[in-house]
Amino acid sequence: MTPKTFFELKPSGSRTSTGGVSPLGGEYDEYLQGYDVPRSQNGSETRFRTTGTTEVPPESLFYPPHNGNGRRAGASRSWWWAEIASVAGSIAAMVALVIVLALFDGRALSQWNFFIQPNTIISILVMVSKTSMLLAVSACLSQLKWKHFHDRPRPLNDLQIFDSASRGPLGSLYLMGNLRLGAVLAFFFAVVTTASVAIDPTAQQILQFPSRITKLENVASKLGVAEQYSSRAFRNKYPESDASRISQANQKHLHEDFYLEYFNGDTLLLQSSLLNAIFGSIPEPSYSCPPPATSCSWPDFSTLGVCRSYRNLTEVAAPACNATSSNDKSPTRNLTCMYDYHGRNRSEFLVDMKWNLVAKPGPDGKMQGYPADWTWYQAMSTIHTDKFGHQTLSMTSVKMLNGNSPVNGKTPPPTEMLQSDWYLCEHTHHGATIDSGRLTPGRVVSAPLTPLRNTTVPASNMGAGPGGLYDESFVTYRADGGTGREYTVGQYQFSRLYAFLKSALDNRFGLFDNATRVESGGSLGALLPMGYYMNLTDHAALTGRVAEGVSAQMRSKTPAGDNDELTMLEGAAFRAETYIHVRWPWVLLALIEVVAAAVLVTVTIFITRGQPLLKSSVMALLLHGLDGWEEEGKAGSLETEKDLEERSKGMTARLCEDDNGWLRFSKSF
């Protein structure tokens, strides 16, 4: 036949079913099954032909198969099984991903017992889902290009656009920018392909591994609480190891045992601990927060302790000064001042300050008295005992502020007067915790204790063994302003603790003997320059540390504590653990992609039913070549891809049958 140019489709003569065999074999026989082709009155098919004819080699003719009544057989759906399986595999992988995430969301990472880490599992499932999905999407895009040209005439360049879109996101972007509404279904496929680029990065954001605090059911924490105080350092008890000798009334041994028990290793530990508290190192109560716990907490609790009150008495100080001199011609005179204040406890010791004054010319040239030997600092402590045997400790201190000020008459140099009291009280702790080995007391509310009664226990009844050294008095207190609970303290033991603090705090610091001798310290002055230290230290902080140090010792037991009757309060133990947290919004993209792909594949199968299932077949492009172009349709030997693209943009074709039923890309105007 002589080829002719195609510009419209017209019905040709009828042709009955021949049952011919395609040269491509049985696989291609189903290519055109299901086409809706007009029929003649006798049942034969009406064929579309070109206005011209094309010489088709007989060996290349394609004869579509027919059924017995002259209609083509229905299109086989077997060609979509691979895509359906891909979509099913993608959905299955996504369902598995959701199940895994739901099962381990909120669980401790330590419960993940697989050798593959959670992020690896997610990456594998997402990769399987994405790959399976894109296989089906690519096949559908390839199939839609045949429908694109079958529906109406299109530029041949659209073939290249569809082919590129089926290969990946870059081609899909090009399709979205060029075809737009010209191929709506392909456009959505291109969107799915392009969006798939973000699936892997978003999958990395699905899991988060924060830390949380988890309660340990089989671990108990403990914290020292003092409901009564029985000192280990100051014992009123015979050593049990010497019970046999004491029972024989050996006075020599009794005398030796008395001193062995009066001072012991625990005495040194307590005294050194209290000194350390004065210097700023405060001990901690007894506690236990055993591994694997990293933190512990306790319910609100109340405990016996020591509180401190602090006042600056400078404004109300009333020094009584007396000035003396050896004779009227002496250039020196002595000034001694006894410091008192309104409201002082009558049993409290007064503080005296002494200065030796030397006459020197002042700024105006007149002779004035200046300190030569003087007291810089003086502190006096007093133990107060009431009718119940309840004891408190007070300390009054006077500090000279400026030694270069002239002294006239009986007016002392500028001084500061401070006063502190220590007393038994109840500490109520709210929110005490231990975190990373550090004890935090929480919010502490303090209430003074009121003595209720004094109970005397004979020495013979003092605990196990042969008894105590002598009778012991125990004072019972009640926290009237707090919880109302009662606490018991041994009078003898507590008086010895206050006695040690008094010996440590009673200090004087100054220059004497014409400034040739420095005195710093009271009973500890030969060992520690306590007077010098206390003169330079903030008294409010120092006295507060003393109260905290004594309270900590009352809440501690062996080896570093002082309370034999300590109660250990149980609390809760916790451990910081890493757990798996699923951020579900990051799963949405993968889910939407899979659902969208499944819907689009289903729609593609439906709208392309009855059409040839060629998909990405290269052979189909070769066999269904161009029809209607002569020399202008031929390619040169040195053409580039760009040259072909430019030429194809001006070539409009439609996929249809010629006179012989062969599908061709026929030229259209």
Side-chain angles (χ1 to χ4, degrees), residues 290-301:
T294 57
S295 63
C296 296
S297 65
W298 288 267
D300 296 347
F301 65 91

Side-chain angles (χ1 to χ4, degrees), residues 595-610:
V595 173
V599 172
L600 292 174
V601 169
T602 303
V603 173
T604 301
I605 294 174
F606 178 78
I607 67 173
T608 60
R609 69 191 186 283

Side-chain angles (χ1 to χ4, degrees), residues 185-505:
L185 189 59
F187 180 87
F188 286 117
F189 270 117
V191 172
V192 170
T193 303
T194 304
S196 67
V197 175
I199 290 180
D200 290 328
T202 54
Q204 298 300 318
Q205 301 296 320
I206 293 176
L207 289 188
Q208 193 178 36
F209 301 97
S211 295
R212 66 185 177 190
I213 302 300
T214 302
K215 184 177 181 180
L216 300 175
E217 300 297 337
N218 56 344
V219 177
S221 59
K222 295 182 179 181
L223 182 63
V225 175
E227 297 178 351
Q228 55 184 334
Y229 175 55
S230 177
S231 174
R232 297 173 54 85
F234 307 123
R235 300 173 180 173
N236 174 21
K237 192 175 186 304
Y238 292 114
E240 295 181 9
S241 60
D242 294 331
S244 60
R245 288 180 292 171
I246 295 173
S247 62
Q248 297 172 3
N250 188 321
Q251 295 301 318
K252 180 176 180 298
H253 289 166
L254 176 60
H255 182 73
E256 293 174 355
D257 293 334
F258 175 83
Y259 285 104
L260 287 174
E261 190 67 5
Y262 195 89
F263 296 113
N264 53 70
D266 293 319
T267 307
L268 298 177
L269 288 175
L270 174 62
Q271 291 175 344
S272 62
S273 176
L274 295 178
L275 289 176
N276 286 333
I278 293 174
F279 295 133
S281 179
I282 302 172
E284 291 184 327
S286 294
Y287 66 84
S288 173
C289 188
T294 57
S295 63
C296 296
S297 65
W298 288 267
D300 296 347
F301 65 91
S302 299
T303 180
L304 181 65
V306 171
C307 292
R308 178 268 299 165
S309 64
Y310 173 80
R311 294 182 293 169
N312 190 318
L313 302 175
T314 303
E315 297 297 328
V316 296
C321 299
N322 183 28
T324 61
S325 60
S326 57
N327 54 66
D328 294 338
K329 298 180 180 181
S330 174
T332 64
R333 60 193 182 97
N334 299 325
L335 180 65
T336 302
C337 296
M338 300 294 291
Y339 280 79
D340 200 352
Y341 62 93
H342 179 70
R344 175 180 64 88
N345 189 319
R346 292 299 95 188
S347 63
E348 185 174 315
F349 291 109
L350 296 177
V351 177
D352 65 304
M353 301 287 283
K354 295 181 180 180
W355 297 277
N356 291 333
L357 304 178
V358 179
K360 295 181 182 179
D364 56 357
K366 296 181 179 180
M367 299 299 291
Q368 292 180 322
Y370 287 88
D373 293 353
W374 65 85
T375 302
W376 275 104
Y377 174 84
Q378 176 91 342
M380 294 294 293
S381 301
T382 306
I383 299 176
H384 308 279
T385 305
D386 63 11
K387 62 180 181 179
F388 290 97
H390 167 59
Q391 295 178 326
T392 60
L393 175 66
S394 65
M395 181 185 74
T396 305
S397 59
V398 177
K399 182 188 301 185
M400 188 170 68
L401 300 178
N402 187 357
N404 295 320
S405 298
V407 178
N408 296 316
K410 296 182 180 181
T411 301
T415 56
E416 182 181 48
M417 186 175 183
L418 307 172
Q419 199 267 342
S420 298
D421 291 295
W422 292 273
Y423 55 91
L424 286 170
C425 64
E426 178 189 65
H427 293 307
T428 300
H429 292 254
H430 303 273
T433 61
I434 291 176
D435 191 7
S436 300
R438 183 175 182 178
L439 176 63
T440 302
R443 183 173 63 90
V444 182
V445 178
S446 300
L449 298 180
T450 301
L452 294 179
R453 56 187 176 274
N454 186 312
T455 304
T456 300
V457 178
S460 59
N461 295 334
M462 289 294 296
L469 292 170
Y470 41 79
D471 296 347
E472 174 67 282
S473 295
F474 292 92
V475 181
T476 300
Y477 299 86
R478 184 173 60 207
D480 289 331
T483 63
R485 299 179 60 182
E486 294 186 0
Y487 301 91
T488 302
V489 176
Q491 180 185 4
Y492 162 77
Q493 299 175 5
F494 214 75
S495 64
R496 289 196 58 195
L497 187 149
Y498 275 159
F500 171 74
L501 287 176
K502 174 176 169 54
S503 65
L505 297 175

